[in-house]
Amino acid sequence: MRITTLEELLDTLDHLFSDGSDLTRRGGQDPWEQIFSQPGHPLASDLPDACLVAWARLGLLPPGEGLNALDLGCGLGRNARWLARQGYAVTGLDLSPYAVGQARERTPGPDIRYLEGDVLRDPIPGGPFDVVYDSGCFHHLPPHRRLSYLHTLGQVLRPGGWFGLCTFAWGRMGSAKSDLELLRQGQLEGGVGYTLDDLREMFGGLDFVTGSLLSELEPASEPVFQMDFLQAALFRRPE
């Protein structure tokens, strides 16, 4: 095979991570089932990310009534349910059949639409969205697939819409190796750590609103998901 298109190049680079460390790609098994079903695992929480609650308290996110939101890599739906409680019409998307099934069980009624899909490769119905939120998907991407992610974000985020993400913080969690080193070794080491400057550069087509470690946010008036190895950033797409 000769590479003649960008997608062929990306597909070829996918094979470098055939060891199973790329948790954003479908395989014969669902690795997230083992993760989410561990007794007491933090990701089995029902609490919303501390950054979402803080952004809403500070008026950085718009009121949800009449707006729609997309939760990318929604897991068991904890952030999707919080967004729905704020009045958003919510779509939760996850690659894991187990996660989507559990999210539906935890969310009685038709308030949230949960879809099984691949953010990098599958069309996402219901957009464009006023708010797109990603907690823990982006930092599991292999370096070359950030291009696919940015393309998807451009498709699903409405002009003037808000994009928020929560990722591993560089030096606290995730690999600190360069992209070239990760590609050469073909192993993601559980995820990639980023600085806020990294995120501002990667999402340079969006306006930066705010960003910080979750541990630096003011205490919330409600229980929240808050780990000291996580950071969050909020952006807005120009009109």
Side-chain angles (χ1 to χ4, degrees):
M1 170 185 165
R2 301 296 183 189
I3 296 171
T4 58
T5 68
L6 175 60
E7 197 54 45
E8 288 173 350
L9 174 60
L10 297 177
D11 287 342
T12 300
L13 292 174
D14 282 342
H15 291 292
L16 297 177
F17 298 93
S18 58
D19 67 327
S21 66
D22 179 1
L23 299 177
T24 64
R25 185 167 39 151
R26 286 193 182 99
Q29 295 181 327
D30 180 0
W32 290 103
E33 180 174 357
Q34 181 180 2
I35 295 170
F36 286 126
S37 61
Q38 292 177 25
H41 195 285
L43 292 181
S45 168
D46 275 326
L47 300 179
D49 284 348
C51 54
L52 282 176
V53 176
W55 295 339
R57 182 181 70 245
L58 295 170
L60 300 178
L61 282 179
E65 196 65 37
L67 302 182
N68 62 349
L70 172 65
D71 185 3
L72 287 176
C74 65
L76 306 185
R78 57 189 180 85
N79 290 310
R81 286 187 287 277
W82 182 87
L83 287 164
R85 292 196 296 272
Q86 312 315 305
Y88 292 96
V90 182
T91 296
L93 180 78
D94 204 283
L95 186 74
S96 165
Y98 176 84
V100 171
Q102 289 294 305
R104 288 170 177 162
E105 286 187 15
R106 293 184 180 207
T107 311
D111 295 341
I112 303 172
R113 176 174 61 168
Y114 290 108
L115 303 175
E116 181 188 331
D118 184 337
V119 62
L120 304 178
R121 301 167 182 84
D122 296 338
I124 301 175
F129 295 89
D130 301 289
V131 172
V132 176
Y133 185 65
D134 171 351
S135 180
C137 176
F138 184 75
H139 62 222
H140 286 298
L141 296 174
H144 61 286
R145 280 297 175 180
R146 294 188 205 114
L147 300 176
S148 304
Y149 187 98
L150 289 169
H151 174 76
T152 295
L153 185 62
Q155 298 289 311
V156 300
L157 182 62
R158 186 189 309 279
W162 287 260
F163 169 63
L165 78 165
C166 183
T167 72
F168 290 154
W170 191 91
R172 292 173 178 251
M173 180 68 77
S175 176
K177 292 183 177 177
S178 69
D179 289 349
L180 183 57
E181 289 175 300
L182 293 174
L183 288 165
R184 280 176 169 166
Q185 71 185 24
Q187 221 286 333
L188 289 176
E189 303 180 350
V192 180
Y194 294 105
T195 67
L196 280 176
D197 285 341
D198 289 335
L199 299 179
R200 294 181 73 161
E201 180 179 2
M202 291 172 187
F203 297 99
L206 307 177
D207 294 330
F208 178 75
V209 178
T210 190
S212 69
L213 292 167
L214 264 59
S215 59
E216 294 176 347
L217 296 171
E218 291 185 15
S221 59
E222 62 183 275
V224 293
F225 187 88
Q226 192 168 25
M227 298 290 184
D228 62 5
F229 56 81
L230 294 173
Q231 67 184 344
L234 180 65
F235 299 85
R236 190 171 187 191
R237 184 174 183 177
E239 295 279 0

